[in-house]
Amino acid sequence: MIQPLTIAGKTFTSRLFTGTGKFASAAVMEEALLASGTQLVTVALKRVDIHHKTDDILPHLSHPHIQLLPNTSGVRTAREAVYAAQLAREALETNWVKLEIHPDPRYLMPDPVETLQAAAELVKLGFVVLPYVHADPVLCKRLEEVGTAAVMPLGAPIGSNKGLCTADFLEIIIAQSNVPVVVDAGIGAPSHAARAMEMGADAVLVNTALAVTKEPVKMATAFKAAVEAGRMAYEAGLAPVNARAVASSPLVAFLDEV
Amino acid sequence: MFKSIFEQYSWDEVKESIYAKTAADVEQALHNQRRTLNDFAALISPAAAAYLQPMAEISQQRTLQRFGNTMQLYIPLYLSNECQNICTYCGFSLNNKIPRKTLSNAEILRETAVIKEMGYDHVLLVTGEAHQQVGLEYFKNALQLLRPHFSNISMEVQPMDEADYAALIPLGLHAVLVYQETYHQEDYRKHHPKGRKSSFDYRLETPDRLGRAGIHKMGLGVLIGLEDWRTDSFFTALHLQYLEKTYWQTRYSISFPRLRPFSGGLAPKVEMNDRELVQLICAYRLFNQEVELSISTRERESFRDHIIRLGITSMSAGSRTNPGGYATDHQSLEQFEISDERSAVAIAQMLKQKGYEPVWKDWDKVFG
C-alpha cells in the first residue's frame, strides 16, 4: 500500500491523475480511466457542453470515486482564465480548477506571468487552484506563496511522450515545495511515471500516453502499476547510488578490532 | 510583413529546385526530425512519389500523437452568393448570370436551426465579395445573431482591413480562412481580372492584418489546379512558417481545395491526382506537426474515408455550398459541386467505425 495523497483537504489513494483528450471514443476513455484507478480527472471546458448539458464526455466520468478537475485549456490570458474558471465552477459544481494558460498554440507552453496573476486572483475567489507550469522552481514557490493547492510542472512538452526532460528542475521543485507536486505533460511511458514517483513527485498526470496507444485499457493498467511501484520505492527509500564499488570488507574495518 | 520575404523568392527558381530534388534529398528529409522548408520541398517533389508509404506512416504517427484519435467537424453556412469579382474558376463570379441571394436574419436562423439539428457547434460563414451587400455591418449583424448558437464561428469571406477584423473578433469571430488562390502573380492577375480581388498584394498581406488584429486561428491554402501545385504549396509553407514565428499566438490550418466543376467552369490548368494529394498532406504533416489539416466535401467518399488516417484533423460533412441550401432555398446556385454527399450522421458513424471520435465542440464562446 502507498500513502494516500491529500490536496486541499481531499484525499486520494491513487496518485495517477488523468486527462480526457484524444481518446477514440468516450466509452474507451471511461474504460481506460476506470482501469487506471484514477480519482482525479481533468476535462477541458472547451470540450464539454456546459450550457446545454447534452455533452458526450461528462456522463462517462460520472463515477463516485472520480473527481472532476475542469481545466482552462484554450485561454490566453489571466482574465480569460478567471472567467472560464468561474463558468466551470458554476456548471460543474466544483471549485477545483486546473489553471492552464498557454498563449502559444503550437507547443502549448504555459505563460508564467499570466498564470501567476490568475492563480492569485482565483485563490482569492475561493478556488482550489492547480496550475500547469513550466518546471520553474522559482515560479512554483511564487505560486505556492499566492496559495495554490499544488503545482503541476511539466516533464516535457504536452503530448510529446518524451518523459522527464526537466528532471533536474523537477528535483529542485520537489525538494523545496510545501504543496503537492504533480508532474504533468510529457509522461509517455509507465517507466517515466515510475521515475517521477521515485523522485518524490506526489502524483503524475497522464493523457496522451493512454489515449493514443493501441490498447488504452492495458496501458492504463500498466500506468497504475508503475505509479504505485514508483511511489512504493520512494516511500521505502531508494538505496543510494554509488559512483564507485563499495568493498564488502571495508579497508578501515580493522579499526573496530583493535 | 510577409511580402518582403515573398519578394526574395523567384517562382521559377523555386519550381526548378523542387523538380531537381533527388531520392537522396527525400531520404534526408525523411531522416530529419525537425524538417526545414528545403526538406518540405523535397517531400513535395516528384522524387518523393516513390516514398509515399514511409511518408504516410510518419504522418499518421505524428498526427496521432498530436491530435489523438479525434476528428474535428465543421460545416459551412453560405450567407450570400453576391460577388463583385470576376474569378475564372468560381461559380459566384460577377459575369456568371445566376440568381443572387443574401440571407436575411430570419433565413440565417432557419439555416442555423437545421445545422444545429445535425449536431454542429462549429460553423464556417461563407460569402462572395460584395462590400455593399455583405460588408462589415452585415458580418457584425451575422455574428451577433449566430453567437448564441455556436461555440466557434469562422469566416471565409473577402479580405478586410485590420480595423474590420479587430471589430469582428470581440463579437465572436474565431477564425478566418483566406486562401491566396495562387502565389503566381501573373496567373493570379489572369484569374482575377476585375474586382477588389484583383489586388494580389492586398490578398497576400491579409494574414498579416489578421495576425495584428489578434485572430485566434487562420486558414491558409491555394486553389489546386490554377498553377503548379508543388510550387504553390512551397509558398504556402513559407507563408505558414513566417506567420507562426511572427503571430505566435495564432493557430493555423491548411486546406487543399482541388478545382471542382461549377456553373461556367474553367478546366484546371494543372491536375492533381489522389496520390499527389496524399503526398502533399503527408508532406505538410512531416513539416509541421501542429498545423491543422482540413479536407472538405469536394473530395469523394472513399478518398475521404482513407485520408483521415494520414494527417487530416478536420473535415466538413453534409455541406451545402449555396445560400439557403440547408433550409431556405435548396435550388439556389452552388459555389461548386460537392463530391461527398453523406450526412453528418453518416460521417460521424464512419469515423467511429474507424476508431475516431467525431469532435463537434472544441471551443467555448467564453474564451472570446
Side-chain angles (χ1 to χ4, degrees):
Chain A
M1 284 291 285
I2 58 174
Q3 293 170 1
L5 166 66
T6 301
I7 301 178
K10 170 95 180 173
T11 299
F12 301 92
T13 53
S14 167
R15 289 171 180 264
L16 174 57
F17 300 161
T18 54
T20 50
K22 300 187 180 180
F23 284 94
S25 71
V28 170
M29 174 195 77
E30 181 179 22
E31 208 181 338
L33 299 190
L34 291 177
S36 76
T38 189
Q39 295 169 317
L40 190 64
V41 176
T42 184
V43 57
L45 185 61
K46 65 179 182 170
R47 281 293 305 275
V48 299
D49 188 349
I50 57 172
H51 307 286
H52 301 98
K53 310 268 186 188
T54 56
D55 182 74
D56 191 38
I57 297 175
L58 293 178
H60 290 270
L61 299 175
S62 179
H63 294 275
H65 66 282
I66 289 183
Q67 174 172 340
L68 287 186
L69 177 62
N71 72 55
T72 61
S73 172
V75 306
R76 300 192 292 190
T77 63
R79 187 183 58 79
E80 289 176 357
V82 170
Y83 187 40
Q86 287 171 317
L87 274 162
R89 176 163 68 178
E90 191 179 328
L92 301 176
E93 295 169 352
T94 173
N95 64 338
W96 286 50
V97 64
K98 181 184 173 196
L99 177 60
E100 291 188 44
I101 304 177
H102 28 70
D104 143 39
R106 295 187 72 198
Y107 298 103
L108 307 175
M109 287 291 135
D111 185 324
V113 179
E114 298 287 325
T115 301
L116 183 61
Q117 189 185 328
E121 193 166 340
L122 287 168
V123 169
K124 283 183 195 159
L125 292 169
F127 283 90
V128 173
V129 182
L130 287 74
Y132 165 62
V133 288
H134 210 289
D136 179 337
V138 173
L139 177 63
C140 287
K141 290 306 287 181
R142 295 287 301 268
L143 286 162
E144 182 185 314
E145 284 169 0
V146 301
T148 62
V151 288
M152 304 183 77
L154 57 80
I158 289 180
S160 68
N161 294 331
K162 287 182 175 175
L164 306 183
C165 298
T166 59
D168 287 355
F169 307 103
L170 290 173
E171 283 181 350
I172 299 171
I173 292 167
I174 291 166
Q176 63 183 11
S177 184
N178 292 314
V179 293
V181 177
V182 182
V183 177
D184 183 9
I187 290 177
S191 56
H192 300 152
R195 173 78 186 110
M197 300 309 294
E198 287 172 0
M199 284 166 59
D202 295 281
V204 294
L205 195 148
V206 182
N207 185 174
T208 300
L210 301 183
V212 306
T213 184
K214 280 183 290 188
E215 295 190 56
V217 174
K218 189 178 268 190
M219 187 59 82
T221 309
F223 266 99
K224 179 176 192 280
V227 168
E228 287 174 355
R231 180 65 192 183
M232 264 188 245
Y234 173 74
E235 290 176 9
L238 292 172
V241 177
N242 295 299
R244 292 179 299 173
V246 178
S248 54
S249 299
L251 296 175
V252 294
F254 72 96
L255 291 172
D256 298 331
E257 297 164 8
V258 293
Chain B
M1 297 278 278
F2 176 67
K3 190 165 179 287
S4 62
I5 292 172
F6 178 72
E7 285 170 350
Q8 294 167 24
Y9 288 80
S10 141
W11 175 280
D12 291 340
E13 284 173 16
V14 167
K15 185 174 180 181
E16 196 178 327
S17 80
I18 294 170
Y19 282 83
K21 296 291 185 198
T22 64
D25 295 324
V26 179
E27 286 176 23
Q28 182 65 51
L30 287 172
H31 173 76
N32 292 343
Q33 284 298 307
R34 284 196 174 273
R35 297 180 181 88
T36 63
L37 260 177
N38 193 42
D39 290 329
F40 179 75
L43 295 170
I44 58 172
S45 73
Y51 294 86
L52 211 50
Q53 179 62 25
M55 285 176 68
E57 287 170 12
I58 300 170
S59 180
Q60 182 183 49
Q61 188 269 328
R62 283 171 66 96
T63 307
L64 187 65
Q65 185 186 15
R66 170 70 183 191
F67 295 91
N69 301 284
T70 63
M71 185 66 62
Q72 302 276 338
L73 292 172
Y74 71 94
I75 192 161
L77 169 51
Y78 278 70
L79 296 175
S80 172
N81 62 7
E82 294 275 0
C83 195
Q84 300 302 318
N85 290 315
I86 292 180
C87 300
T88 58
Y89 50 80
C90 180
F92 291 175
S93 191
L94 176 66
N95 57 348
N96 204 0
K97 299 302 175 199
I98 53 154
R100 302 288 174 169
K101 181 168 188 60
T102 297
L103 299 187
S104 66
N105 283 357
E107 288 169 332
I108 291 173
L109 289 175
R110 277 212 291 277
E111 297 290 294
T112 297
V114 175
I115 288 172
K116 292 296 291 183
E117 192 63 28
M118 293 183 201
Y120 282 103
D121 199 42
H122 292 196
V123 70
L124 168 66
L125 308 182
V126 188
T127 68
E129 180 165 350
H131 293 264
Q132 295 296 324
Q133 296 90 339
V134 280
L136 180 64
E137 293 309 312
Y138 183 87
F139 295 131
K140 279 183 177 172
N141 173 67
L143 285 170
Q144 283 163 342
L145 200 61
L146 293 168
R147 188 68 174 144
H149 302 282
F150 294 101
S151 292
N152 186 307
I153 303 175
S154 306
M155 283 198 344
E156 186 179 341
V157 304
Q158 70 270 23
M160 291 191 276
D161 293 340
E162 183 182 332
D164 295 348
Y165 290 132
L168 294 176
I169 291 168
L171 300 179
L173 178 61
H174 178 83
V176 172
L177 282 57
V178 56
Y179 307 135
Q180 184 58 32
E181 315 297 14
T182 177
Y183 287 86
H184 190 292
Q185 293 194 60
E186 207 172 300
D187 270 24
Y188 183 93
R189 274 189 278 276
K190 282 184 201 163
H191 288 297
H192 309 98
K194 186 176 181 303
R196 292 196 189 190
K197 195 171 176 178
S198 59
S199 171
F200 178 89
D201 285 353
Y202 187 70
R203 198 164 187 91
L204 189 71
E205 292 164 354
T206 306
D208 275 297
R209 296 195 300 278
L210 277 165
R212 288 196 300 268
I215 195 75
H216 275 282
K217 190 166 108 177
M218 252 186 254
L220 308 174
V222 291
L223 184 53
I224 293 168
L226 292 186
E227 245 301 338
D228 178 68
W229 65 264
R230 300 176 205 272
T231 312
D232 256 336
S233 298
F234 175 89
F235 281 106
T236 310
L238 178 72
H239 210 159
L240 172 67
Q241 182 174 271
Y242 158 81
L243 290 167
E244 280 188 336
K245 287 186 179 175
T246 310
Y247 308 105
W248 59 276
Q249 296 197 27
T250 297
R251 307 163 73 107
Y252 297 90
S253 69
I254 303 277
S255 299
F256 313 90
R258 290 195 278 189
L259 259 180
R260 293 280 308 146
F262 72 99
S263 172
L266 165 95
K269 174 179 175 181
V270 182
E271 290 273 4
M272 173 195 250
N273 64 35
D274 288 352
R275 287 184 70 84
E276 290 169 335
L277 181 49
V278 169
Q279 181 185 345
L280 181 60
I281 289 168
C282 294
Y284 271 118
R285 179 58 68 224
L286 267 62
F287 175 60
N288 187 316
Q289 186 163 0
E290 294 81 21
V291 71
E292 296 175 21
L293 300 179
S294 181
I295 201 91
S296 76
T297 51
R298 286 171 183 255
E299 303 300 337
R300 67 180 199 281
E301 281 187 33
S302 63
F303 184 74
R304 295 214 322 155
D305 287 1
H306 286 93
I307 203 76
I308 57 173
R309 291 183 184 280
L310 301 182
I312 295 298
T313 58
S314 74
M315 61 198 303
S316 51
S319 305
R320 295 284 173 269
T321 67
N322 49 331
Y326 298 107
T328 306
D329 183 0
H330 300 285
Q331 302 306 317
S332 70
L333 185 100
E334 314 175 297
Q335 189 187 28
F336 57 87
E337 291 174 21
I338 63 172
S339 266
D340 187 344
E341 306 251 7
R342 286 174 293 181
S343 69
V345 171
I347 292 289
Q349 194 58 37
M350 178 273 289
L351 288 169
K352 285 177 186 169
Q353 280 168 359
K354 289 185 178 296
Y356 281 80
E357 181 188 7
V359 175
W360 305 93
K361 178 180 185 296
D362 193 31
W363 194 250
D364 199 283
K365 37 185 169 280
V366 306
F367 292 167

